Amino acid sequence: NSDGEIKVLNYNNGVIMKEIQGHSRDVSGICYCCCDSENPNDANTIASCSWDRKTKSYDEEDPEFLNPLRVMDGHDADVTCIACPDTADLLITGSVDLKGNNVRLWDMTTGQREPMRVLQHLPGHVSEIVSVTFCGQLPLCCAADAAGLVSFAYTRPSRGCMQFFFLDT
């Protein structure tokens, strides 16, 4: 919510099951990251982003509490959107920063940024990022800005660095 709180509600009756003061400003995005069925040691997590320029993850397994796991701090402006893939091992975030730091990829296990390479001859995003997503089972993520520019980047397990490809719509 706009107070930085994250609440888990019972779908059937709306009762608050868990809550945490996750951020110091408005929560702008949230996603539920299911553990990979091939790796049962992973935990289901909730990830959130905020206008406080931070992305955070929480262990969702405890029936009464959201336990903080990681703080991912690396945007220079408000973080506007967040997404995780089916494997729940990465996060992508977008922000309003227009200095080239507006899309970040994060390793969920370590909380560290994944390397990204923008090709120099391609234009960058020209306005705030309004949506990010992963492309199903493909090692590919996508970001869109308010001006209609869409970018794609390879993610692991593809080989080499990630590269951005931009489509001007």
Side-chain angles (χ1 to χ4, degrees), residues 2 7 20 42 51 57 68 77 84 86 118 121 134 159 167:
S2 62
K7 298 180 181 186
I20 190 169
D42 286 345
W51 291 357
S57 63
C84 65
D86 296 340
V118 177
H121 66 282
F134 286 89
R159 300 175 194 266
L167 299 175

Side-chain angles (χ1 to χ4, degrees), residues 12-163:
N12 293 319
N13 59 20
V15 171
I16 297 172
M17 297 170 54
K18 308 176 202 184
E19 59 187 318
I20 190 169
Q21 184 66 43
H23 294 275
S24 61
R25 294 192 59 205
D26 301 40
V27 175
S28 53
I30 195 159
C31 61
Y32 188 76
C33 307
C34 294
C35 66
D36 188 349
S37 60
E38 295 177 11
N39 188 357
N41 295 330
D42 286 345
N44 293 332
T45 58
I46 292 174
S48 62
C49 64
S50 170
W51 291 357
D52 66 7
R53 303 178 180 186
K54 292 179 175 48
T55 301
K56 296 183 178 183
S57 63
Y58 311 88
D59 183 351
E60 202 275 325
E61 294 297 313
D62 189 301
E64 295 182 22
F65 301 101
L66 286 174
N67 297 313
L69 290 173
R70 305 219 180 335
V71 176
M72 292 154 269
D73 192 3
H75 283 286
D76 295 331
D78 301 347
V79 185
T80 55
C81 49
I82 188 170
C84 65
D86 296 340
T87 57
D89 61 341
L90 294 173
L91 279 177
I92 185 171
T93 55
S95 77
V96 300
D97 180 26
L98 300 179
K99 299 177 196 164
N101 297 324
N102 51 4
V103 178
R104 298 270 195 229
L105 196 66
W106 305 93
D107 182 305
M108 284 283 286
T109 306
T110 64
Q112 299 299 309
R113 285 178 41 199
E114 289 279 304
M116 300 175 98
R117 189 175 84 185
V118 177
L119 301 179
Q120 296 304 314
H121 66 282
L122 295 175
H125 284 284
V126 295
S127 63
E128 74 179 74
I129 303 299
V130 295
S131 181
V132 291
T133 191
F134 286 89
C135 301
Q137 297 294 326
L138 298 173
L140 192 66
C141 61
C142 178
D145 68 24
L149 194 69
V150 178
S151 65
F152 294 88
Y154 295 115
T155 65
R156 62 177 188 236
S158 68
R159 300 175 194 266
C161 292
M162 287 169 271
Q163 296 178 335

